[in-house]
């Protein structure tokens, strides 16, 4: 391996910040600035800066583990792989293919997500595959498809943000989740633009806004409807745009007009003057954007809530125009790519639909199988986890830690324990891996090459920078070996670029078309935005791959101009001419306010909302192993208003219990006036007594099947001692 700097990208969130990695003689890896990547221009948050700590961590798995006499003990790779093949094979024989479940992750590269979907459907023949990305942005994806005919997190590059006139940021705390992205919003304000933040908490992001609205959790849908009502009442609808580029306005308009500002004020707690001021700030500039994140999306009405925000953009002519639009700030590292290439229950590669006969034929041909042999759509993530130990008897799990991250987590933990067989691939012994029958230690980001797709829809190449430790193998090798043991000798290559070449063919012609993208282009162009079809002519474009092999590219001098004449440039900005619907028009989604699945009552009078802190990532499986991050964020807490704390008699740091219909969690009080008095907040990164997801409600959105992480009813109690 080279000992010079290798340009690559962060392993964590969907911003996918660029960084250089340099192995040092003592075995450590140095992260250095990479200023050529326009998204972060060298800036990194603490998680990215310390990411190499997990590579050399003492808690890193370097040997397969198998359960023997109730404990996990080291085993050889052959023993471990044989045991997985035997476990899955027996389940398939005795209970049928759908008794085998597969659960993936939004951190898997495109190549791994693609191969995992293929493995489930071709090798196991199961429909029961989904992934933790369902818990991330599925509501925005569903709303985007309904309204625009296509789901890509941002339909424009982040670099457009400073040039617009106003951004409404709904339920996103970028200062903690993606700190380098704040630069775009600072530049927006320096240019005279306005930032409006909508969040029940006065977060670090809200503190930087020109206007902060703090609605009651679970009422963002009513808030968006109230804003649209004001837009109509004040004559701010862009009638020409609505007539030329949209459909369904009358129904959406009627629904919004039923949401009077005074009614919306009663539901949300946001005052009528604040509603009017928001509309003024949003409508006066020539360009404006709405960006949503988990706040409005992780609700049992998440799809409708995002739809209401999209309606606001459409009614004011702020979608599919330069410097204006709606976007979703996808959270997980490869949350975008992970939902495009087949590890989602209803999907085939290229964002094709599993129930579309033409899509099945196309992908089956690439895979060399009979289209009729492909199973149909399966269950969504929570429904799959909830079925473990009942009709799903065995589970293969990659890059996910549902014992911490799933809603109603204590119940899901019990379901996992009731499985006949569980195999987990991970880099550390996560809380879920601790329950497994077999654990396989796998390579991670800096030790392997593969692509991810950022929240901008920019496909990126993460390059192998260091040699993996002795004893670990890649997920691709794992699937190759398991496929062979289960009777499928071909079709599961271990080389990421070979997988990508197949993915290109499988995605060709689909909504997320990667067929014009090669590894070499990704390096030469610092990423390529999809869709990027290969030139149509006679397949010549696909021939580009013949000499596109890539070992490690460390600088411009190793980049060759291997792009054939007329390659597609990629698509940084979508919908400028037409939306991706059959008639090219965007669709309004007529929606009305409805309450959260759980409203406060006498027994559970307070609302709980959950989220993240800057120094931990998702279930914390990796970041909780980094000393510097643990020092900054050592454990869970309950954020509550001084009035609520006074009622409990709780002081700062006192343990308080939060109790929901699903369980009880205890954590130290953090008292702040920055949260509504009727609401408490808990971060969800930790297991054990302070596990926030013990409390959360798995009520599902009817379209996206997103659980309601963001709001449930609880009571808060002082804890003796
Ligand atoms: Fe990594 Fe996200 Fe932090 Fe960037 S913002 S360094 S991608 S965790």
């Amino acid at each position: 391996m080279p000992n010079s700097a290798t340009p690559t990208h962060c392993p964590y969130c969907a911003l996918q910040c660029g960084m250089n990695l340099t192995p040092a003689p003592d075995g450590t890896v140095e992260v250095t600035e990479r200023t050529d990547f326009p998204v972060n221009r060298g800036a990194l948050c603490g998680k990215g800066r310390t990411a190499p700590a997990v590579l050399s961590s003492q808690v890193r798995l370097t040997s397969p583990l198998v359960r023997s006499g109730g404990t996990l003990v080291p085993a050889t790779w052959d023993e471990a792989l044989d045991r997985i093949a035997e476990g899955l094979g027996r389940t398939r024989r005795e209970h049928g293919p759908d008794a085998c479940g597969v659960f993936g992750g939004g951190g898997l590269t495109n190549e791994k997500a693609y191969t995992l979907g293929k493995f489930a459907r071709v090798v196991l023949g199961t429909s029961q595959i989904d992934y933790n990305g369902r818990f991330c942005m599925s509501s925005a994806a569903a709303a985007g498809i309904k309204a625009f005919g296509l789901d890509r997190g941002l339909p424009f590059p982040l670099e457009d943000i400073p040039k617009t006139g106003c951004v409404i940021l709904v339920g996103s705390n970028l200062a903690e989740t993606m700190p380098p992205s704040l630069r775009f919003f600072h530049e927006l304000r320096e240019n005279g633009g306005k930032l409006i933040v909508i969040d029940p908490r006065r977060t670090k992001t809200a503190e930087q806004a020109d206007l902060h609205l703090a609605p009651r959790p679970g009422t963002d849908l009513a808030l968006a409807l109230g804003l649209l009502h004001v837009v109509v009442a004040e004559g701010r609808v862009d009638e020409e745009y609505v007539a030329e580029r949209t459909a369904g306005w009358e129904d959406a308009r009627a629904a919004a007009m039923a949401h009077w500002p005074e009614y919306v004020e009663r539901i949300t707690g946001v005052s009528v003057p604040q509603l009017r001021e928001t509309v003024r700030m949003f409508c006066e500039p020539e360009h404006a954007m709405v960006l949503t994140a988990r706040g409005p999306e992780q609700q049992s009405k998440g799809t409708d809530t995002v739809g209401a925000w999209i309606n606001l953009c459409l009614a004011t002519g702020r979608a599919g125009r330069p410097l204006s639009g709606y976007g979703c700030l996808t959270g997980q590292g490869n949350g975008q790519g992970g939902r495009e290439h087949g590890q989602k229950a209803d999907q085939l590669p290229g964002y094709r639909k599993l129930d579309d006969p033409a899509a099945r034929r196309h992908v089956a041909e690439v895979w060399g199988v009979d289209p009729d042999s492909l199973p149909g759509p399966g269950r969504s993530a929570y429904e799959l986890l909830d079925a473990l130990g009942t009709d799903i008897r065995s589970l293969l799990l990659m890059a996910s830690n549902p014992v911490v991250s799933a809603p109603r987590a204590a119940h899901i933990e019990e379901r996992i324990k009731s499985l006949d067989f569980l195999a987990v691939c991970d880099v550390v012994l996560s809380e879920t891996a601790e329950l497994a029958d077999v654990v396989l230690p796998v390579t991670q980001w800096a030790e392997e090459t593969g692509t991810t797709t950022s929240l901008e829809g920019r496909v990126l190449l993460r390059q192998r920078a260091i040699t993996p430790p002795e004893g670990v193998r890649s997920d691709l090798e794992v699937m190759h070996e398991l496929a062979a043991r289960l009777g499928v000798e071909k079709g599961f290559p271990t080389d990421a670029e070979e997988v990508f070449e197949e993915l290109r063919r499988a995605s060709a012609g689909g909504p997320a078309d990667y067929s014009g993208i090669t590894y070499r282009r990704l390096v030469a162009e610092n990423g390529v935005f999809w869709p990027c079809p290969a030139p149509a002519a006679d397949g010549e474009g696909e021939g580009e791959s013949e000499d596109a092999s890539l070992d490690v590219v460390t600088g411009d001098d190793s980049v060759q101009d291997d792009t054939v004449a007329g390659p597609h440039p990629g698509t940084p900005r979508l919908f400028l001419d037409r939306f991706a619907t059959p008639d090219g028009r965007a669709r309004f989604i007529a929606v009305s306010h409805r309450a959260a699945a759980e409203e406060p009552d006498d027994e559970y009078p307070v609302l709980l909302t959950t989220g993240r802190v800057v120094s931990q990532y998702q279930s914390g499986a990796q970041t909780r192993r980094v000393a510097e991050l643990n020092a900054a964020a050592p454990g869970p807490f309950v954020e509550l208003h001084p009035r609520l704390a006074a009622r409990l008699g709780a002081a700062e740091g006192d343990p308080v219990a939060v109790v929901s219909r699903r369980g009880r969690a205890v954590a130290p009080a953090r008292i702040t006036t920055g949260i509504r008095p009727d609401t408490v907040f808990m971060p969800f990164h930790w297991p054990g007594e302070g596990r926030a997801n013990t409390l959360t409600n798995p009520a599902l959105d009817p379209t996206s099947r997103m659980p309601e992480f963001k709001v449930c009813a609880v009571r808060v109690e002082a804890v003796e001692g």
Side-chain angles (χ1 to χ4, degrees):
M1 293 307 302
N3 54 13
S4 56
T6 302
T8 188
H9 296 270
C10 176
Y12 295 121
C13 84
L15 205 57
Q16 285 297 285
C17 294
M19 57 169 66
N20 287 315
L21 293 181
T22 311
D26 65 356
T28 59
V29 181
E30 191 190 6
V31 174
T32 52
E33 247 187 30
R34 184 179 159 200
T35 51
D36 66 320
F37 189 58
V39 170
N40 64 311
R41 290 189 218 148
L44 296 170
C45 78
K47 296 185 289 290
R49 234 179 343 91
T50 59
V54 185
L55 297 168
S56 57
S57 167
Q58 296 305 308
V59 292
R60 179 82 189 276
L61 292 172
T62 53
S63 167
L65 302 172
V66 298
R67 192 162 294 279
S68 172
T71 42
L72 287 168
V73 296
T76 66
W77 269 93
D78 277 340
E79 283 168 341
L81 289 164
D82 286 348
R83 198 134 151 204
I84 298 175
E86 189 191 314
L88 294 172
R90 190 184 322 115
T91 294
R92 194 173 54 172
R93 265 193 322 277
E94 294 178 0
H95 302 281
D98 274 357
C100 295
V102 176
F103 201 82
L108 293 176
T109 60
N110 292 321
E111 292 80 355
K112 293 180 188 182
Y114 171 86
T115 304
L116 191 62
K118 183 179 177 183
F119 179 86
R121 292 169 180 123
V122 172
V123 178
L124 297 176
T126 181
S127 66
Q128 300 302 304
I129 174 171
D130 210 53
Y131 77 125
N132 64 18
R134 176 81 68 169
F135 300 156
C136 178
M137 66 318 108
S138 56
S139 295
I145 289 169
K146 278 189 181 186
F148 306 130
L150 188 73
D151 154 43
R152 195 183 85 183
L154 295 180
F156 43 74
L158 285 160
E159 290 168 284
D160 282 1
I161 288 172
K163 299 174 209 153
T164 192
C166 176
V167 176
I168 303 182
L169 198 53
V170 192
S172 169
N173 184 9
L174 288 171
E176 303 232 23
T177 56
M178 298 179 177
S181 70
L182 271 192
R183 169 173 68 81
F184 297 106
F185 298 89
H186 293 157
E187 290 171 10
L188 164 76
R189 297 188 67 215
E190 282 162 19
N191 293 343
K194 301 292 183 202
L195 175 63
I196 302 170
V197 171
I198 296 175
D199 198 303
R201 304 164 60 217
R202 194 175 65 239
T203 61
K204 289 177 183 156
T205 311
E207 281 170 0
Q208 301 176 44
D210 297 282
L211 179 63
H212 171 213
L213 309 182
R216 192 169 170 268
T219 65
D220 325 56
L221 172 52
L223 182 63
L225 285 160
L227 294 174
L228 186 53
H229 183 113
V230 175
V231 164
V232 176
E234 294 185 357
R236 294 182 185 270
V237 174
D238 186 336
E239 303 285 358
E240 197 179 320
Y241 172 92
V242 168
E244 283 178 7
R245 298 207 55 190
T246 72
W249 169 230
E250 281 312 315
D251 288 345
R253 180 183 182 282
M257 295 318 284
H259 293 76
W260 289 89
E262 294 75 11
Y263 171 52
V264 168
E265 178 181 302
R266 281 201 302 280
I267 296 170
T268 64
V270 175
S271 70
V272 173
Q274 282 180 314
L275 293 175
R276 296 198 195 288
E277 177 63 0
T278 303
V279 167
R280 187 191 65 75
M281 288 167 68
F282 184 66
C283 291
E284 281 188 352
E286 189 181 350
H287 311 292
M289 298 173 177
V290 172
L291 304 177
T292 67
R294 304 303 81 75
E297 296 166 20
Q298 288 179 325
Q299 297 186 30
S300 61
K301 53 180 183 294
T303 305
D304 283 0
T305 303
V306 174
W309 288 103
I310 292 174
N311 287 352
L312 183 70
C313 291
L314 293 177
T316 53
R318 296 170 185 288
R321 280 176 164 170
L323 306 179
S324 285
Y326 160 79
C328 155
L329 296 159
T330 297
Q332 291 177 290
N334 195 29
Q336 181 70 48
R339 71 194 195 243
E340 295 166 1
H341 298 299
Q343 65 175 330
K344 193 158 168 268
D346 57 353
Q347 223 169 60
L348 287 171
Y351 225 132
R352 288 186 156 92
K353 297 291 286 179
L354 192 48
D355 57 6
D356 172 0
R360 294 169 68 88
R361 277 196 303 278
H362 174 86
V363 175
E365 192 182 336
V366 174
W367 288 354
V369 299
D370 179 351
D372 292 338
S373 71
L374 297 176
R379 292 180 177 90
S380 74
Y382 180 78
E383 292 164 296
L384 189 158
L385 294 170
D386 192 34
L388 299 181
T390 58
D391 51 328
I392 298 178
R393 311 298 317 173
S394 292
L395 183 72
L396 173 65
L397 183 141
M398 284 186 176
S400 189
N401 188 15
V403 166
V404 178
S405 62
R408 198 188 174 196
H411 169 72
I412 294 303
E413 187 173 347
E414 290 309 309
R415 299 261 40 94
I416 291 171
K417 286 178 183 167
S418 72
L419 280 164
D420 293 346
F421 181 78
L422 171 65
V424 172
C425 301
D426 212 327
V427 298
V428 294
L429 195 63
S430 71
E431 287 72 20
T432 307
E434 283 175 15
L435 305 178
D437 297 289
V438 181
V439 183
L440 297 181
V442 289
T443 49
Q444 52 176 314
W445 109 106
E447 300 159 354
E448 57 189 13
T449 293
T451 61
T452 62
T453 305
S454 77
L455 78 173
E456 299 176 295
R458 192 194 306 244
V459 186
L460 302 163
L461 187 69
R462 281 193 199 149
Q463 299 192 69
R464 175 168 157 155
I466 61 166
T467 305
E470 195 84 3
V472 307
R473 296 187 187 178
S474 78
D475 292 300
L476 293 178
E477 289 177 272
V478 167
M479 287 184 274
H480 171 88
E481 291 289 337
L482 289 177
R485 280 166 169 79
L486 289 162
V488 181
E489 299 284 347
K490 288 188 177 162
F492 290 87
T494 58
D495 177 68
E497 189 171 10
E498 199 178 328
V499 176
F500 190 78
E501 291 303 307
E502 185 182 307
L503 182 158
R504 290 175 62 200
R505 293 197 303 280
S507 76
D513 190 334
Y514 283 37
S515 60
I517 303 175
T518 64
Y519 273 22
R520 194 162 291 278
R521 277 193 70 179
L522 294 179
V523 173
E525 299 171 34
N526 230 340
V528 176
F529 291 83
W530 72 257
C532 180
D538 51 12
E540 276 181 13
E542 297 193 26
E544 205 181 337
S545 63
E546 286 171 15
D547 66 346
S549 66
L550 180 79
D551 292 321
V552 173
V553 178
T554 55
D556 286 342
D557 57 354
S558 56
V559 174
Q560 296 161 22
D561 180 15
D562 65 344
T563 50
V564 296
H568 190 286
T571 315
R573 294 172 185 83
L574 295 169
F575 313 138
L576 294 181
D577 299 323
R578 67 192 310 277
F579 294 96
T581 54
D583 61 6
R585 289 169 175 263
R587 300 281 184 278
F588 280 96
I589 307 169
V591 292
S592 291
H593 167 70
R594 59 182 187 275
E598 268 184 5
E599 284 287 283
D601 55 20
D602 290 347
E603 202 179 348
Y604 300 100
V606 175
L607 292 169
L608 167 72
T609 191
T610 62
R612 290 171 47 190
V613 297
V614 68
S615 293
Q616 297 289 351
Y617 181 69
Q618 307 296 47
S619 80
Q622 290 149 289
T623 51
R624 282 187 276 113
R625 270 123 180 139
V626 180
E628 187 179 331
L629 299 178
N630 271 339
F637 56 87
V638 180
E639 189 177 288
L640 72 171
H641 192 276
R643 291 219 293 269
L644 180 54
R647 278 215 302 278
L648 301 175
E652 179 77 13
D654 283 356
V656 293
V658 182
V659 185
S660 79
R661 288 179 175 83
R662 290 151 295 280
R664 181 177 196 265
V666 178
R670 191 175 285 185
I671 301 170
T672 171
T673 55
I675 190 164
R676 296 171 54 97
D678 59 3
T679 302
V680 294
F681 166 83
M682 288 185 76
F684 64 83
H685 310 289
W686 289 274
E689 191 182 44
R691 178 173 62 184
N693 276 321
T694 299
L695 307 164
T696 48
N697 188 354
L700 299 181
D701 179 284
T703 306
S704 67
R705 316 307 285 168
M706 167 73 86
E708 191 147 69
F709 288 102
K710 284 297 177 192
V711 55
C712 70
V714 296
R715 66 172 179 270
V716 188
E717 299 169 343
V719 175
E720 288 296 316

